[in-house]
Amino acid sequence: MKKEKDIFRLADLIARSLTETLSIEEQKELDAWLAISPANREKYEGFRAIGALRKKSEEYLQVDWQGDCKMYIASRARLQRRRKIQRFSQYAAVFVLLFGVAFGLYIRIGHEKGESPVAQSGVPVSKSAILSLAGGEQIVLSDSNFSALKMQGNTRVTVEGKNISYTNGREAKRERKMLFNTLRIPRGGEYFLTLSDGSTVWLNAETEIRYPVEFVGDNRIVYVEGEAYFDVKKDESRPFVVRSGQTDVKVMGTSFNFRSYSDEAGVTTTLESGSVIMISQKSKQEIRLEPGEQGTLDKKSGRLSKHIVNTYLYSAWKDGRLVFEDTRLEDLFHVLARWYDLQVFYVHPGAKDIRFTGDLNKSEDFGAILKIIENNERVEFEVNERTVSIRLR
């Protein structure tokens, strides 16, 4: 294996071969690797021992593998300059292969048997996003994916980990059709999307975005249900529009957070840079936002309002933080339930109005999060699998 992506590819092939989900061509690819040496066959047979694999995967769940991979990449660059890369690459290949197969298979086995890593470890659920292509085909996006999907029109779709990107081809564009993809992010998930114009989108848990594979015409329009942070490429000839139910947000080149969940009473746009116009389809009202302002649509009345906010409170989620400032406990757990995939029950309804301020790590063990909240000495929690009961002390 000469490239890191080849290692991830091999890990994915082995994991899926053990769950019998390989295509004929993929099986041939795996067979070719097995035929290279008896050592490869021995490794493969070792992975078939499910008990050992479970134990290994549990060990890896305790490892900061993302940090280790970053350290590996940095170390690899230094070692290349010293011409000592070969031995280190072999070590890294073994680590990534073992982790990719062990963790990937562990998640698959647990899913098939109805087991839940969250109930045991208290970490966010690792559920797969679903990409619906223009022709109706649906693709389950694995965290270990590294692949170029088939061309859609004149655009290539590439998936790498939790990132998906669209790149326009260079050939002549004659009859360009508007082809749409839809990306659905589950509870406990998140994703990063690069649109064909170079604009980027961070997608939060329980979010759906529908967008053209390639922008055609005088506007760039995407449809969002949930929460997304946009960094829009400037194009004065083609405004960028985020549309959700009763609301349009028009931008030229801007960074902003957009939140429109169906179970919430309002739609908010929080502007970090640039300028946007928020439009209510119901009241025909328009407001212009400047950096540091948040616009809110009241879904019931259709009225728009704006006020100055600390934008960090509304965009920190994309950087791995859960930030609350004088937030009602009910609203706080509304966010936690979406991220950790929980059901919340209030034994004492009065607990809903307790206020909390904190800056939390999204990857933190859920039990640790509860202990931090309990430090206010006003509430206590009881956790039964995915149900959290909250009572006053």
Side-chain angles (χ1 to χ4, degrees), residues 16 72 139 229 291 294 300 338 359 379:
R16 291 195 293 109
Y72 157 64
I139 298 174
Y229 183 93
Q294 180 180 82
K300 186 175 182 180
R338 182 172 284 122
D359 190 335
V379 292

Side-chain angles (χ1 to χ4, degrees), residues 4-16 21 26 65-66 69 96-108 126-129 140-149 158-163 190-191:
E4 287 84 351
K5 67 178 182 180
D6 295 330
I7 299 298
F8 282 105
R9 171 65 173 170
L10 177 58
D12 186 59
L13 287 176
I14 293 177
R16 291 195 293 109
T21 57
E26 289 171 333
W65 61 272
Q66 289 179 322
C69 284
V96 174
L97 175 59
L98 285 174
F99 175 80
V101 176
F103 186 73
L105 184 58
Y106 175 74
I107 294 299
R108 287 186 176 90
S126 179
K127 290 183 178 179
S128 299
V140 178
L141 301 176
S142 166
D143 290 353
S144 61
N145 278 1
F146 188 107
S147 61
L149 304 178
T158 303
V159 177
E160 182 178 1
K162 288 187 176 181
N163 304 292
E190 55 186 357
Y191 224 81

Side-chain angles (χ1 to χ4, degrees), residues 65-195:
W65 61 272
Q66 289 179 322
D68 289 345
C69 284
K70 290 179 180 178
M71 291 176 61
Y72 157 64
I73 292 171
S75 299
R76 185 178 190 273
R78 291 194 297 269
L79 287 171
Q80 278 181 320
R81 290 193 293 269
R82 299 174 189 173
R83 298 188 179 184
K84 294 182 180 180
I85 186 61
Q86 182 175 4
R87 183 173 60 184
F88 193 83
S89 293
Q90 292 173 348
Y91 165 79
V94 172
F95 171 79
V96 174
L97 175 59
L98 285 174
F99 175 80
V101 176
F103 186 73
L105 184 58
Y106 175 74
I107 294 299
R108 287 186 176 90
I109 294 171
H111 178 73
E112 291 169 0
K113 295 189 176 182
E115 298 174 359
S116 170
V118 164
Q120 300 299 322
S121 66
V123 297
V125 185
S126 179
K127 290 183 178 179
S128 299
I130 304 294
L131 176 65
S132 299
L133 302 181
E137 180 183 357
Q138 293 193 339
I139 298 174
V140 178
L141 301 176
S142 166
D143 290 353
S144 61
N145 278 1
F146 188 107
S147 61
L149 304 178
K150 61 185 180 182
M151 295 287 291
Q152 293 189 85
N154 190 47
T155 305
R156 181 178 300 280
V157 187
T158 303
V159 177
E160 182 178 1
K162 288 187 176 181
N163 304 292
I164 184 168
S165 60
Y166 290 74
T167 308
N168 292 336
R170 295 182 178 180
E171 61 269 23
K173 303 174 184 179
R174 296 180 180 177
E175 297 181 4
R176 296 191 299 172
K177 296 173 60 178
M178 185 77 85
L179 303 176
F180 281 88
N181 279 186
T182 300
L183 183 59
R184 298 179 180 87
I185 314 303
R187 290 169 70 90
E190 55 186 357
Y191 224 81
F192 182 79
L193 169 67
T194 302
L195 299 169

Side-chain angles (χ1 to χ4, degrees), residues 278-280 283 285-287 296-298 302-306:
M278 197 170 180
I279 304 169
S280 170
S283 67
Q285 181 187 4
E286 296 186 7
I287 58 173
T296 301
L297 169 80
D298 182 280
R303 298 297 298 174
L304 292 168
S305 61
K306 68 177 181 177

Side-chain angles (χ1 to χ4, degrees), residues 233-260:
K233 286 288 186 181
K234 188 172 184 179
D235 185 345
E236 295 183 356
S237 65
R238 295 190 301 169
F240 192 99
V241 178
V242 179
R243 180 166 292 171
S244 180
Q246 306 175 29
T247 315
D248 279 1
V249 176
K250 289 187 177 182
V251 306
M252 299 301 291
T254 284
S255 297
F256 63 98
N257 194 74
F258 181 81
R259 184 181 178 101
S260 176

